[in-house]
C-alpha cells in the first residue's frame, strides 16, 4: 500500500514537473496549427526593368548619390555582347520584393568555360554605389544583396531564378569572368514580385493635399512590400516578424488592406512560440519551421502584443481569438509587473534590452514606466470587453498609483518636463509615452512636448518608430497642426529625398544615421515607418482637407 502511494505521489510529482513546466504546453501546438491555417496566398506579378541608368555623385541629394537615365537603351542592352559591356545598372522603377530570373544567350560560338556575374540588388542609389568591404556594419555582411552567379554549360540559354528572395529597385550586373571562346548577351531579365497584401480597401478624400497623398502612397508601398507570409519588419533585412513592428503595421493595415487573416496568423505564431513560462519572444522566423530568435526578451514589445490583440479584436470582433489569447496577455503583464517596485518600473532589475528607438543614449526609465501603465490600461480594457475584469481587478488602482509615482518621481513641475533616469535626460519619447499612458493630461502634454522640442539638449527619436509615438502624442493632446506639420516634414522629407518606400532610420539632419554603423545596411522599406496611413485616415479632417 505504501509503495503504491509512493508510486502515485511520484507519478504526480513527475507529471506536475513535466506537464506543469510549460505554462501553455497543451495549447502551443494548437496555436501554431491555427497560425498555419491562416497562411496567406502570395499574389505574384512579373516586372521588367524600366530603364538603364548611370550613377551620379551629387552632394545635394540623399546620401550623395542619384541615378540618371542612360543614353544606352534597354532594347540594345538585351542584344549587346555583355563581354564588351562588362557592367550595367537597371532601374525597375519601383520597390519590389521577390525573385529575380535571368537568361543568358550564347550569341557567338559555344560555351567552353563558366561565366561568372556579380549581381547587386539595392533599395536606394547610395547602397548601390558604396563599397561594402571592408565591411563596417554591425550585422551580418550577408544581408547585403550582392550575389555571385555562375553559369555553367547547362545554365546557358535557359532561365535561372536566383534562390535568394530579394528586396530592391535597382540591379547592377558586372562581369567577373568569362571565356574569350564565346560571346553572350543577357536576353531576358525579370523580377517576380510578391506580397500578401491584396487590394487597398480605402481611399482618400478628393480634397486631400498632394503631399499627404504622396506620403500615403509611399506608406502603402512600404506596408505592401512588408506583407509577406507574416508582417515582416523589412523585406531586405531582417525578414522577420517583430511585435513592435506588427503593432504599427496593424494600425496602418486597418486603414488600408484590412488583412485580418494575416494579423491573426502573426498573433498565433507568437503565441505558439511562447517560452515555457508563457513569456512571448519579441521576434520570430517562419522557416524552416516557426522558431524564435533565441534570448530576445524585450518587455516593451511583449506589452505591445496586448495592444495589438485589443485593436485586432475591436476591428474584427473575433472573440474566439481574443479569448483564446487572453491568458497569454495576462502573463505578459504579470511578467512586466515583476519589475515594478514601489509603483516604479525598476529598470536596473531589468534584462539588458528595453527598446523604444535606436537613438543612441536614449534613457528609457520614463518610457518604460509609461509603457507599463499603458499596457495595464490596455489589459484592463481587453478584460472588460471579454468579461474578464475580475481577473485583473487590482489594475485600476495600480494604474492610479503608477501614474502618481511617475508624476512624483519624473515630472519637473517647473519646466513642465518629464525627466528620465539619474541624469534627468530630456527626450521627446519620455514625454510622448507619458502622454500616451495618460500620466500627462492634454495641457501638461502640450507644455511638455513643446518644451522638449525646443530644449537645447533634447534627445530626438532617430527612427520612424519613435516618431510615430511623437505624432500620436501630439494628436492625443490636441497639437493637431503641429502633428500635421511633423508628418509633412518628417515623412514628407523622405518623399522629397526620393523615397519610394519609407526607411528604417531617418534623421532629417543626418542622412547617414544607422543603428548598425553602416547606412547601406539599413532597411529602406521598413514596416514601422508605414504609419502615416494610420494618421492620415484616422484624422481625415486634419490630413485630407
Ligand atoms: C531592428 C529592426 C526591427 C525592430 C528591432 C527592435 O532589428 O529594425 O524592425 O523591431 O530592431
Amino acid at each position: 500500500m505504501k509503495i503504491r502511494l509512493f508510486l502515485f505521489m511520484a507519478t504526480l510529482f513527475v507529471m506536475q514537473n513535466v506537464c506543469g513546466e510549460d505554462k501553455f504546453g497543451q495549447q502551443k501546438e494548437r496555436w501554431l496549427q491555427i497560425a498555419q491555417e491562416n497562411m496567406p496566398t502570395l499574389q505574384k506579378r512579373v516586372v521588367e526593368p524600366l530603364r538603364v541608368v548611370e550613377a551620379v555623385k551629387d552632394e545635394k541629394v540623399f546620401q550623395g548619390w542619384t541615378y540618371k537615365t542612360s543614353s544606352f537603351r534597354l532594347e540594345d542592352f538585351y542584344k549587346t555582347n555583355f563581354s564588351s559591356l562588362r557592367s550595367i545598372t537597371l532601374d525597375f522603377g519601383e520597390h519590389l520584393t521577390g525573385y529575380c530570373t535571368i537568361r543568358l544567350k550564347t550569341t557567338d560560338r559555344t560555351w567552353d568555360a563558366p561565366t561568372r556575374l556579380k549581381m547587386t540588388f539595392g533599395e536606394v542609389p547610395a547602397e548601390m554605389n558604396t563599397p561594402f568591404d571592408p565591411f563596417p556594419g554591425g550585422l551580418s555582411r550577408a544581408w547585403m544583396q550582392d550575389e555571385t552567379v555562375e553559369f555553367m554549360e547547362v545554365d546557358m540559354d535557359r532561365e535561372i531564378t536566383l534562390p535568394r528572395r530579394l528586396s530592391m529597385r535597382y540591379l547592377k550586373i558586372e562581369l567577373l569572368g568569362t571565356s574569350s571562346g564565346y560571346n553572350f548577351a543577357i536576353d531576358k531579365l525579370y523580377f517576380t514580385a510578391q506580397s500578401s497584401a491584396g487590394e487597398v480597401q480605402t481611399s482618400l478624400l478628393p480634397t486631400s493635399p498632394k503631399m499627404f497623398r504622396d506620403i500615403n502612397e509611399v506608406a502603402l508601398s512600404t506596408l505592401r512590400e512588408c506583407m509577406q507570409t507574416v508582417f515582416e519588419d523589412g523585406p531586405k533585412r531582417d525578414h522577420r516578424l517583430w511585435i513592435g513592428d506588427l503593432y504599427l503595421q496593424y494600425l496602418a493595415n486597418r486603414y488600408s488592406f484590412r488583412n485580418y487573416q494575416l494579423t491573426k496568423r502573426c498573433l498565433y505564431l507568437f503565441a505558439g512560440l511562447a517560452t515555457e513560462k508563457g513569456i512571448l519572444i519579441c521576434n520570430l522566423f517562419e522557416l524552416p519551421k516557426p522558431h524564435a530568435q533565441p534570448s530576445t526578451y524585450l518587455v516593451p514589445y511583449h506589452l505591445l502584443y496586448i495592444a495589438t490583440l485589443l485593436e485586432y479584436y475591436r476591428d474584427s470582433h473575433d472573440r474566439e481569438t481574443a479569448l483564446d489569447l487572453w491568458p497569454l496577455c495576462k502573463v505578459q503583464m504579470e511578467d512586466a509587473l515583476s519589475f515594478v517596485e514601489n509603483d516604479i518600473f525598476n529598470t536596473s532589475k531589468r534584462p539588458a534590452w528595453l527598446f523604444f528607438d535606436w537613438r543612441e543614449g536614449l534613457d528609457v526609465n520614463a518610457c518604460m514606466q509609461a509603457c507599463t501603465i499603458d499596457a495595464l490600461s490596455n489589459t484592463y480594457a481587453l478584460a472588460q470587453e471579454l468579461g474578464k475584469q475580475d481577473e485583473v481587478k487590482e489594475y485600476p488602482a495600480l494604474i492610479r498609483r503608477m501614474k502618481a509615482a511617475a508624476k512624483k518621481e519624473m515630472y519637473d513641475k517647473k519646466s513642465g518636463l518629464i525627466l528620465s533616469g539619474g541624469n534627468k535626460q530630456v527626450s521627446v519619447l519620455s514625454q510622448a509615452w507619458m502622454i500616451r499612458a495618460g500620466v500627462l493630461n492634454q495641457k501638461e502634454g502640450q507644455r511638455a512636448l513643446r518644451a522638449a522640442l525646443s530644449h537645447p539638449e533634447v534627445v530626438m527619436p532617430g527612427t520612424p518608430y519613435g516618431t510615430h509615438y511623437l505624432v500620436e502624442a501630439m494628436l492625443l493632446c490636441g497639437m493637431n497642426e503641429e502633428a500635421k506639420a511633423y508628418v509633412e516634414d518628417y515623412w514628407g522629407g523622405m518623399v522629397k529625398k526620393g523615397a519610394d518606400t519609407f526607411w528604417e532610420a531617418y534623421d532629417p539632419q543626418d542622412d547617414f544615421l544607422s543603428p548598425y554603423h553602416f547606412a547601406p545596411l539599413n532597411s529602406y522599406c521598413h514596416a514601422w515607418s508605414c504609419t502615416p496611413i494610420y494618421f492620415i485616415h484616422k484624422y481625415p479632417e486634419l490630413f485630407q482637407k
Side-chain angles (χ1 to χ4, degrees):
M1 191 62 196
K2 266 187 183 166
I3 291 179
R4 269 209 208 148
L5 188 69
F6 172 76
L7 281 176
F8 175 72
M9 296 300 285
T11 319
L12 209 69
F13 177 79
V14 170
M15 273 175 64
Q16 268 177 353
N17 277 282
V18 173
C19 307
E21 250 178 19
D22 197 336
K23 201 167 170 65
F24 297 110
Q26 312 269 308
Q27 277 111 300
K28 278 174 9 186
E29 271 310 302
R30 182 175 61 81
W31 285 344
L32 285 177
Q33 183 56 36
I34 297 176
Q36 182 59 28
E37 285 158 14
N38 284 281
M39 176 74 86
T41 320
L42 291 169
Q43 286 122 32
K44 303 196 174 172
R45 69 195 168 100
V46 169
V47 186
E48 293 188 0
L50 208 64
R51 56 179 186 144
V52 180
V53 288
E54 276 166 33
V56 181
K57 186 137 190 55
D58 180 352
E59 291 311 320
K60 292 192 290 302
V61 300
F62 178 63
Q63 297 182 338
W65 284 98
T66 186
Y67 280 121
K68 67 167 192 193
T69 306
S70 164
S71 54
F72 185 60
R73 294 178 324 163
L74 200 57
E75 307 88 278
D76 298 329
F77 156 66
Y78 291 120
K79 291 181 231 146
T80 308
N81 171 16
F82 200 73
S83 307
S84 60
L85 212 53
R86 301 204 74 84
S87 169
I88 192 136
T89 304
L90 302 164
D91 175 12
F92 282 72
E94 60 183 311
H95 190 282
L96 301 166
T97 301
Y99 293 88
C100 182
T101 303
I102 182 167
R103 184 175 72 192
L104 268 48
K105 190 173 166 55
T106 325
T107 50
D108 169 33
R109 290 162 291 161
T110 51
W111 184 95
D112 67 351
T115 280
R116 179 178 288 172
L117 299 181
K118 182 172 171 192
M119 298 177 74
T120 307
F121 300 84
E123 297 179 314
V124 292
E127 171 190 5
M128 301 291 294
N129 290 289
T130 308
F132 298 161
D133 300 302
F135 190 64
L139 303 174
S140 168
R141 161 70 176 81
W143 282 119
M144 307 315 297
Q145 305 177 110
D146 52 336
E147 304 284 301
T148 304
V149 192
E150 250 88 38
F151 295 83
M152 306 306 283
E153 188 172 18
V154 287
D155 302 326
M156 296 307 283
D157 304 304
R158 70 185 188 103
E159 293 184 6
I160 303 290
T161 299
L162 272 54
R164 177 177 181 151
R165 202 202 67 194
L166 301 147
S167 176
M168 64 109 204
R169 173 173 167 173
Y170 304 103
L171 162 61
K172 182 166 166 189
I173 309 174
E174 293 161 283
L175 184 60
L176 293 186
T178 191
S179 140
S180 56
Y182 69 102
N183 281 325
F184 71 94
I186 296 170
D187 80 324
K188 196 155 192 189
L189 185 71
Y190 61 87
F191 203 85
T192 309
Q194 61 177 49
S195 161
S196 63
E199 295 299 316
V200 182
Q201 307 291 324
T202 54
S203 59
L204 296 179
L205 294 173
T207 46
S208 305
K210 175 157 181 351
M211 183 41 97
F212 291 115
R213 280 186 179 283
D214 291 350
I215 294 174
N216 190 57
E217 276 308 312
V218 175
L220 283 173
S221 300
T222 311
L223 181 57
R224 186 186 292 113
E225 292 290 281
C226 293
M227 287 171 78
Q228 297 293 325
T229 45
V230 293
F231 280 100
E232 282 184 20
D233 61 337
K236 178 182 102 176
R237 210 216 74 243
D238 313 307
H239 290 213
R240 76 191 80 161
L241 173 63
W242 290 81
I243 302 174
D245 299 68
L246 172 65
Y247 171 59
L248 297 191
Q249 282 168 302
Y250 180 72
L251 295 179
N253 173 54
R254 170 197 292 153
Y255 293 105
S256 53
F257 302 105
R258 298 206 176 121
N259 192 331
Y260 298 129
Q261 187 194 337
L262 187 65
T263 315
K264 182 171 176 177
R265 168 169 162 77
C266 294
L267 288 167
Y268 271 106
L269 274 174
F270 278 120
L273 295 176
T275 65
E276 290 189 345
K277 288 184 178 161
I279 312 283
L280 290 168
I281 42 88
C282 67
N283 76 92
L284 62 86
F285 304 89
E286 294 174 272
L287 296 171
K289 61 176 188 158
H291 65 283
Q293 183 181 6
S295 11
T296 45
Y297 175 71
L298 182 48
V299 178
Y301 271 26
H302 303 170
L303 295 178
L304 284 173
Y305 183 87
I306 305 167
T308 313
L309 184 63
L310 177 63
E311 300 280 354
Y312 166 78
Y313 173 57
R314 283 181 173 162
D315 293 335
S316 67
H317 309 294
D318 178 358
R319 197 171 175 84
E320 203 185 332
T321 296
L323 282 169
D324 202 13
L325 301 176
W326 159 250
L328 196 64
C329 293
K330 259 193 342 182
V331 173
Q332 308 319 305
M333 198 62 248
E334 282 156 16
D335 179 55
L337 291 176
S338 70
F339 296 97
V340 174
E341 286 169 353
N342 301 322
D343 302 323
I344 293 283
F345 189 104
N346 183 348
T347 60
S348 62
K349 252 182 88 180
R350 72 183 158 97
W353 200 26
L354 293 174
F355 179 81
F356 287 88
D357 190 82
W358 276 122
R359 177 68 76 187
E360 234 172 88
L362 175 72
D363 185 286
V364 294
N365 279 281
C367 291
M368 202 52 236
Q369 175 79 3
C371 171
T372 310
I373 299 169
D374 173 56
L376 280 166
S377 306
N378 290 332
T379 312
Y380 195 71
L382 186 59
Q384 280 182 310
E385 295 189 25
L386 297 175
K388 300 277 184 191
Q389 59 272 47
D390 282 358
E391 295 180 26
V392 288
K393 52 180 176 305
E394 67 284 13
Y395 283 9
L398 185 54
I399 293 170
R400 281 194 294 278
R401 290 205 312 272
M402 285 190 72
K403 281 184 178 176
K407 263 294 188 41
K408 184 161 171 265
E409 303 294 327
M410 301 176 182
Y411 186 58
D412 176 39
K413 281 198 188 115
K414 205 163 151 242
S415 62
L417 283 162
I418 294 285
L419 304 176
S420 186
N423 291 332
K424 302 200 174 307
Q425 184 187 76
V426 178
S427 77
V428 156
L429 285 176
S430 300
Q431 325 303 317
W433 273 91
M434 286 292 186
I435 292 164
R436 179 178 158 99
V439 173
L440 301 181
N441 63 28
Q442 281 213 339
K443 211 169 137 211
E444 292 163 336
Q446 290 196 8
R447 184 171 171 229
L449 275 183
R450 292 199 178 109
L453 285 165
S454 59
H455 196 280
E457 277 157 33
V458 66
V459 177
M460 293 295 292
T463 64
Y465 180 75
T467 307
H468 167 87
Y469 292 98
L470 163 60
V471 174
E472 179 195 53
M474 286 174 163
L475 291 163
L476 284 173
C477 65
M479 295 167 68
N480 291 1
E481 288 306 320
E482 282 105 316
K484 184 177 171 182
Y486 214 92
V487 172
E488 178 160 4
D489 195 53
Y490 189 79
W491 279 273
M494 284 189 254
V495 172
K496 283 185 190 148
K497 289 181 183 183
D500 34 26
T501 47
F502 287 127
W503 309 328
E504 173 182 20
Y506 178 55
D507 178 344
Q509 312 304 326
D510 178 6
D511 282 354
F512 295 93
L513 180 78
S514 170
Y516 322 105
H517 317 294
F518 188 47
L521 182 56
N522 290 6
S523 154
Y524 290 92
C525 172
H526 210 70
W528 64 24
S529 63
C530 70
T531 60
I533 299 171
Y534 167 74
F535 295 128
I536 292 171
H537 288 81
K538 184 165 181 188
Y539 302 93
E541 292 294 319
L542 188 61
F543 291 99
Q544 298 186 37
K545 286 195 172 156

